Amino acid sequence: MSNTSDIVNDAAATTGTRRTTLAADASPQSAAEYVRAALKRMRGGDLGPLPIIFGLVLIVIIFQSLNDKFLTPHNFVNLIVQMAGVTAIAYGVVFVLLLGEIDLSVGYVSAVVGVSLVVMLRPGSVDSPTMFVWYTALPIALLIGAAIGILHGLIITTFQVPSFVVTLAGLLAWNGVVLAVIGEGGTLILQDQTILGVANSYLPPEWGWIAAVAVVAWFSIGTYLRTRARRKKGLHTTPISVTVVQVVAFAFVILFAVYVVNQDIVCHTVSDQNVCVQRGVPVVGVILLLLLVSLTFLTERTRFGRYIYAIGGNKEAARRAGIKVERTRVLVFMLSSLLAGVGGVILASRLRSVDTNAGGGQLLLNSIASAVFGGASLFGGRGKISNALLGALVIASVENGMGLLNISDAAQFIVTGLVLLAAVIVDALSRRRLAQSGVA
Amino acid sequence: MAQENSSTQPLLQLKGVSKHFGAVQALSKVDFEAKVGEVMALVGDNGAGKSTLIKGIAGIYSFDEGEIYFDSKLVHIHNPRDSAALGIEVVYQDLALADNLDVVANMFLGRERVRPPFSLDEGSMELSSIETLNSLSVTTLRSVRQTVAGLSGGQRQAVAVAKAVMWNSRLVILDEPTAALGVAQTRQVLDLVRRLADRGLAVVLISHNLHDVFEAADRITVLRLGQNVKVYSAKQTTQQEVVHAITAGTLQSVPGMN
């Protein structure tokens, strides 16, 4: 049928078996070799998520020693809810960064979506209830977000103007839209119970356990099936002992996190009686994880994701390979605004309202910082969705810890800035080392 | 190597192709051919029309006049997809590899295999990449899962060539494949070029380096100022003769005078 398959068959015939390894293959065969290879990579500057995990441990030690409320189940649950909005926005920022572009409009786009949702759910009078229920209002609000992203993308690709400028214009214009809808100085209260539940409800403890066990089972079975499929084809697999360690570590992290959040018991005094409620896994935490899994699948296991990396790495190569570069770029800006919208919904739900400050303040910078902090490159082609989650966790931890210590806003800004600077310098140093060792 | 080549029909044959850009006549009435199992070198000074000829074959743009025969059939190539459909693959000088992707991802870029409903079939792509690289006796790659950024110039060239031959290709055009390489890597790439022809592909090699050309090519087409000078058999000519043809070869017409 083809010359190439003939060639391949010839090769197979002469060697007797289908060779599934390269002549100079150097993949690690045993756990010891695997660890040695990993250490060698690290010495070469490929630190992976290590610096950020180290930073996180450092932050925990510092804040816990200053205030023993920091490392409590209650504060951990609060932290998840506090970081959720920024994290969702940061997921979208990763997509844009992978292309080597930037989206400065995500803060106010999230506000536009949040405001649209709250406006649609505004309670009417008794005889004219709201036009929308949550399950129609939510998709419409998110569609508005997606449409804004498509608009940005079309302007960027049609007129070939830098995304920096287009989304900077978006930043201003959408801020104006938010102000116009809310009215100067106003606040719109969110009263829909379902949407309020997004950031204010928790899984019952037993549901948290079931979800955790399901996630662990899914991860283990998935790893097992993938390893088996590769082994059947004769391809290289990670040594079994290493895989087992990975699965056990994953299971431990998930189960321990659920254990911790299930310890969170909140007590109120209701008519002289002390009523205690167990909070458990926040629903937004589940949403963040579902987004993490599905977006990671999208970026790493689909053609669309592969094309995003290819365009970020070498736009001309992507074009010559027949990839529809401009269409992919528009879709990425759509995703960025859509995820900003998801973040906007979470923020509106957490604050139980939207006001004229929505989308402002540090929201934009924190979401971009989260992605960059976690390891997504500003120059395109390198990064993962999980980077945003780790980065947001660090930034939220710093803010949360300083909030517990009642540190002034001024000092908070300075500290956050210094932490970001430190992270970027560590990243730049490891990259330089990587370049010297000829790996990147 | 070049056994009975003279008797076989050329796989690709260009007859009297011309191309002009505004007032510049880049190619005028050029004939060119490439045969199965043969390395045809295309040499000429800067501005001789080598790139124009290649881009016309690759479908980057169309020739103004002249005919293209592929497998003895008249064909029309208007865009890169037409040439790819015929089995023509071009390895450009800049290789067009994405540094941040691994070898497998680069070899399948734009033509990924997908397992329904939409997840990439990494295992099958990895297997095919390894088989293609092995069939080309590429011996220096340590893993197909390392990123292209970490590869040497010769390894990159090997990946780009393997990427080109993987797609039912019958004619592979290599644009200056040894331009940026050291001695050992040049050796490896020239061996690779030779193997492509020995495996039954038609190969066109563009190079400025006559030493490389004489090492790998069976025949040499010399272009000068957009016109044919001569086609030499590598065994029956010398570097001096080819250099003379490149710099002072006889032309049918002097550009600008007709």
Side-chain angles (χ1 to χ4, degrees):
Chain A
M1 148 193 138
S2 75
N3 278 359
T4 318
S5 56
D6 289 347
I7 292 169
V8 171
N9 290 340
D10 287 350
T14 46
T15 50
T17 50
R18 277 159 67 91
R19 283 205 11 227
T20 54
T21 53
L22 291 164
D25 194 295
S27 311
Q29 307 293 326
S30 71
E33 275 178 48
Y34 185 87
V35 172
R36 236 172 291 147
L39 286 175
K40 198 175 157 199
R41 275 203 308 275
M42 276 179 215
R43 275 199 300 275
D46 182 6
L47 298 172
L50 270 188
I52 197 161
I53 290 171
F54 178 74
L56 206 52
V57 171
L58 203 67
I59 287 167
V60 168
I61 292 173
I62 291 173
F63 283 118
Q64 179 64 14
S65 64
L66 293 175
N67 182 333
D68 59 7
K69 287 206 184 84
F70 184 72
L71 211 54
T72 56
H74 184 70
N75 196 39
F76 185 50
V77 172
N78 285 346
L79 181 68
I80 294 172
V81 178
Q82 284 163 8
M83 70 183 276
V86 169
T87 310
I89 301 174
Y91 286 160
V93 171
V94 172
F95 280 93
V96 182
L97 291 183
L98 281 177
L99 280 186
E101 315 244 9
I102 190 81
D103 189 343
L104 298 177
S105 70
V106 286
Y108 287 112
V109 170
S110 81
V112 168
V113 173
V115 169
S116 315
L117 181 66
V118 175
V119 167
M120 280 187 277
L121 292 175
R122 202 162 29 181
S125 55
V126 182
D127 37 56
S128 72
T130 51
M131 272 173 65
F132 297 92
V133 278
W134 73 269
Y135 50 81
T136 50
L138 184 62
I140 293 174
L142 292 176
L143 277 178
I144 291 174
I148 291 173
I150 292 176
L151 178 69
H152 290 162
L154 285 177
I155 295 172
I156 290 163
T157 52
T158 311
F159 302 107
Q160 294 293 327
V161 270
S163 54
F164 181 88
V165 184
V166 173
T167 57
L168 183 61
L171 181 153
L172 292 167
W174 300 120
N175 186 14
V177 170
V178 169
L179 290 179
V181 174
I182 296 184
E184 295 288 332
T187 301
L188 298 179
I189 308 290
L190 174 65
Q191 286 175 325
D192 183 88
Q193 286 309 310
T194 313
I195 301 296
L196 280 174
V198 169
N200 297 294
S201 57
Y202 307 87
L203 294 186
E206 55 275 18
W207 277 94
W209 282 118
I210 292 172
V213 170
V215 166
V216 168
W218 172 78
F219 182 77
S220 330
I221 293 171
T223 306
Y224 170 73
L225 290 178
R226 226 177 8 260
T227 308
R228 201 182 61 169
R230 285 183 66 85
R231 194 148 289 176
K232 254 189 192 161
K233 289 198 171 95
L235 290 168
H236 270 297
T237 50
T238 319
I240 288 216
S241 46
V242 176
T243 312
V244 169
V245 169
Q246 282 169 345
V247 170
V248 169
F250 177 84
F252 176 77
V253 168
I254 293 287
L255 295 174
F256 185 69
V258 171
Y259 171 77
V260 170
V261 295
N262 278 348
Q263 302 307 304
D264 177 26
I265 293 167
V266 184
C267 296
H268 319 266
T269 319
V270 182
S271 51
D272 288 346
Q273 272 184 318
N274 217 10
V275 180
C276 291
V277 202
Q278 201 172 11
R279 283 209 292 184
V281 180
V283 169
V284 274
V286 178
I287 295 176
L288 286 186
L289 283 184
L290 287 177
L291 281 175
L292 174 72
V293 171
S294 50
L295 295 175
T296 300
F297 181 86
L298 182 66
T299 48
E300 290 176 15
R301 299 272 175 81
T302 68
R303 281 188 166 182
F304 175 69
R306 177 66 44 87
Y307 295 167
I308 296 174
Y309 281 92
I311 294 169
N314 187 342
K315 198 188 268 182
E316 184 55 30
R319 187 166 287 134
R320 281 197 218 150
I323 294 169
K324 295 194 174 74
V325 173
E326 304 307 341
R327 195 180 71 177
T328 309
R329 289 172 76 201
V330 172
L331 286 174
V332 164
F333 279 97
M334 184 203 78
L335 273 174
S336 163
S337 290
L338 178 64
L339 287 162
V342 172
V345 172
I346 294 172
L347 287 170
S349 167
R350 180 163 83 87
L351 301 171
R352 296 170 180 272
S353 66
V354 283
D355 59 25
T356 45
N357 291 324
Q362 284 173 292
L363 185 60
L364 164 68
L365 288 180
N366 276 352
S367 11
I368 294 178
S370 295
V372 175
F373 213 67
S377 167
L378 281 166
F379 304 103
R382 289 189 176 82
K384 288 177 172 178
I385 302 298
S386 58
N387 292 152
L389 186 65
L390 275 177
L393 189 58
V394 169
I395 288 177
S397 299
V398 172
E399 283 190 349
N400 172 294
M402 287 192 297
L404 286 180
L405 295 172
N406 284 321
I407 294 176
S408 69
D409 276 1
Q412 286 201 22
F413 287 167
I414 294 172
V415 171
T416 313
L418 290 178
V419 171
L420 178 62
L421 195 62
V424 176
I425 289 173
V426 168
D427 183 51
L429 288 179
S430 78
R431 256 173 234 281
R432 192 194 299 171
R433 198 128 173 225
L434 218 57
Q436 279 166 359
S437 60
V439 188
Chain B
M1 264 173 214
Q3 73 279 28
E4 319 121 321
N5 270 344
S6 43
S7 63
T8 56
Q9 277 294 312
L11 178 68
L12 173 79
Q13 193 170 24
L14 305 185
K15 285 185 181 165
V17 296
S18 300
K19 178 75 189 174
H20 68 88
F21 299 101
V24 180
Q25 191 73 30
L27 288 176
S28 68
K29 306 257 179 224
V30 169
D31 299 330
F32 182 73
E33 62 175 40
K35 287 177 180 170
V36 165
E38 182 192 73
V39 178
M40 171 64 98
L42 182 59
V43 300
D45 213 344
N46 291 338
K50 304 183 302 272
S51 297
T52 311
L53 189 69
I54 292 320
K55 285 178 180 164
I57 298 171
I60 307 286
Y61 39 64
S62 313
F63 294 120
D64 298 332
E65 59 172 332
E67 288 163 342
I68 306 175
Y69 293 88
F70 199 83
D71 255 348
S72 308
K73 284 192 284 286
L74 182 66
V75 293
H76 300 279
I77 299 174
H78 298 296
N79 57 51
R81 216 163 300 140
D82 293 344
S83 74
L86 290 171
I88 300 174
E89 290 283 334
V90 184
V91 180
Y92 291 99
Q93 199 171 352
D94 64 1
L95 302 184
L97 299 172
D99 272 2
N100 57 331
L101 296 179
D102 64 25
V103 173
V104 178
N106 267 291
M107 287 179 69
F108 278 88
L109 193 59
R111 317 188 226 199
E112 289 82 1
R113 282 186 202 148
V114 173
R115 223 173 15 201
F118 37 61
S119 66
L120 296 174
D121 193 351
E122 294 286 357
S124 130
M125 290 197 285
E126 184 169 337
L127 213 54
S128 299
S129 300
I130 291 173
E131 283 176 352
T132 307
L133 287 164
N134 278 336
S135 76
L136 295 173
S137 307
V138 174
T139 53
T140 60
L141 268 188
R142 302 217 326 272
S143 163
V144 287
R145 284 299 178 191
Q146 67 187 121
T147 57
V148 168
L151 302 183
S152 71
Q155 289 171 328
R156 284 158 170 262
Q157 191 74 48
V159 170
V161 170
K163 176 184 175 181
V165 301
M166 197 157 57
W167 304 106
N168 302 347
S169 48
R170 304 178 62 196
L171 170 69
V172 176
I173 301 170
L174 300 134
D175 189 5
E176 297 277 6
T178 58
L181 301 184
V183 178
Q185 292 178 350
T186 299
R187 173 84 263 142
Q188 286 165 10
V189 169
L190 291 179
D191 286 346
L192 180 58
V193 169
R194 200 54 255 172
R195 276 198 295 276
L196 291 182
D198 295 347
R199 291 202 185 270
L201 285 112
V203 181
V204 175
L205 172 68
I206 301 167
S207 183
H208 269 110
N209 187 329
L210 286 185
H211 181 260
D212 291 356
V213 166
F214 272 84
E215 197 131 312
D218 299 303
R219 292 194 298 160
I220 304 165
T221 299
V222 180
L223 290 185
R224 181 169 173 245
L225 300 172
Q227 297 173 44
N228 283 108
V229 177
K230 200 176 168 183
V231 179
Y232 295 94
S233 167
K235 288 209 182 74
Q236 288 151 22
T237 184
T238 61
Q239 286 201 31
Q240 283 85 343
E241 200 179 347
V242 174
V243 169
H244 186 263
I246 290 171
T247 53
T250 329
L251 302 174
Q252 286 99 8
S253 66
V254 180
M257 287 292 167
N258 51 344

